[in-house]
C-alpha cells in the first residue's frame, strides 16, 4: 500500500520553532519584511494576514493548507533567495548532529549540496510515496513533505 504525505501543519501566533522559520522565509520571499526568529509573534501574524488578504484567502492568521499552498515558491538548482533559505532551513531542522556547521548552509543559494539534499529526501519518500518525483525540484509535494516534518525526528 502506498503511503501518503503528512498534512500541512496548522501554524499560528504563539507557535515557536519548526516550521515557523520556514514560514518566515516564505513570507520574506513574498515581499513581507519579517525577522526570521522562529517565533510566530504579532509581526509574523500581521504579515500572514496581509498575505491572506492579498491572495483572497480567509484572513484568520492561521497558516493551514490553503495559505501554505499559496505561500510556497517552486525552487530548483540555480534559484536564490529567501524561498531557498526556507528549504535549507528544513534540512538544518533535520540535522541531527546538533552542529549547524555540519548541516546544509542556509545561504539562499540552491547549489549542488542543496540539490543533493533535496534528491536524497525525495528518494527516501519515493519508496513509500511513488508519486513523489526524485527530480531535485522543490515543488508542492516536496514543500508539503518538508514543512509537515516528514523524515524528521
Amino acid at each position: 500500500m502506498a503511503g501518503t504525505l503528512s498534512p500541512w501543519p496548522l501554524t499560528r501566533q504563539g507557535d515557536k520553532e519548526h516550521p515557523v522559520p520556514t514560514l518566515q522565509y516564505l513570507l520574506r520571499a513574498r515581499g513581507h519584511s519579517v525577522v526570521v526568529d522562529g517565533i510566530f509573534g504579532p509581526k509574523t501574524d500581521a504579515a500572514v494576514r496581509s498575505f491572506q488578504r492579498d491572495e483572497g484567502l480567509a484572513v484568520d492568521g492561521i497558516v493551514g493548507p490553503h495559505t501554505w499552498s499559496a505561500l510556497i515558491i517552486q525552487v530548483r538548482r540555480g534559484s536564490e533567495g529567501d524561498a531557498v533559505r526556507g528549504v535549507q532551513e528544513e534540512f538544518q531542522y533535520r540535522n541531527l548532529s546538533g552542529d549547524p556547521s555540519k548541516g546544509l548552509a542556509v545561504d539562499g543559494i540552491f547549489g549542488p549540496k542543496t540539490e543533493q539534499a533535496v534528491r536524497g529526501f525525495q528518494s527516501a519518500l519515493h519508496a513509500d510515496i511513488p508519486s513523489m518525483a526524485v527530480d531535485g525540484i522543490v515543488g508542492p509535494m516536496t514543500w508539503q513533505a518538508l514543512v509537515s516534518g516528514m523524515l524528521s525526528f
Side-chain angles (χ1 to χ4, degrees), residues 37-143:
D37 60 4
I39 299 166
F40 196 136
K43 290 182 176 161
T44 299
D45 182 67
V48 166
R49 289 172 188 272
S50 172
F51 176 79
Q52 289 173 327
R53 197 173 304 106
D54 294 347
E55 293 294 314
L57 299 167
V59 181
D60 58 7
I62 298 170
V63 185
H66 299 295
T67 302
W68 279 115
S69 295
L71 206 49
I72 59 170
I73 296 169
Q74 181 170 290
V75 292
R76 57 166 43 104
R77 190 158 178 174
S79 298
E80 292 188 15
D82 282 319
V84 175
R85 285 183 186 89
V87 170
Q88 293 166 332
E89 172 66 36
E90 286 294 330
F91 287 103
Q92 213 28 278
Y93 172 68
R94 288 164 174 79
N95 171 11
L96 301 179
S97 74
D99 180 354
S101 70
K102 288 190 167 69
L104 193 62
V106 181
D107 60 8
I109 300 164
F110 199 128
K113 288 182 179 168
T114 301
E115 182 178 23
Q116 181 182 4
V118 169
R119 284 180 182 275
F121 179 75
Q122 291 171 330
S123 187
L125 289 173
H126 181 78
D128 286 331
I129 307 170
S131 57
M132 173 63 73
V134 182
D135 57 8
I137 297 168
V138 185
M141 281 185 75
T142 304
W143 269 116

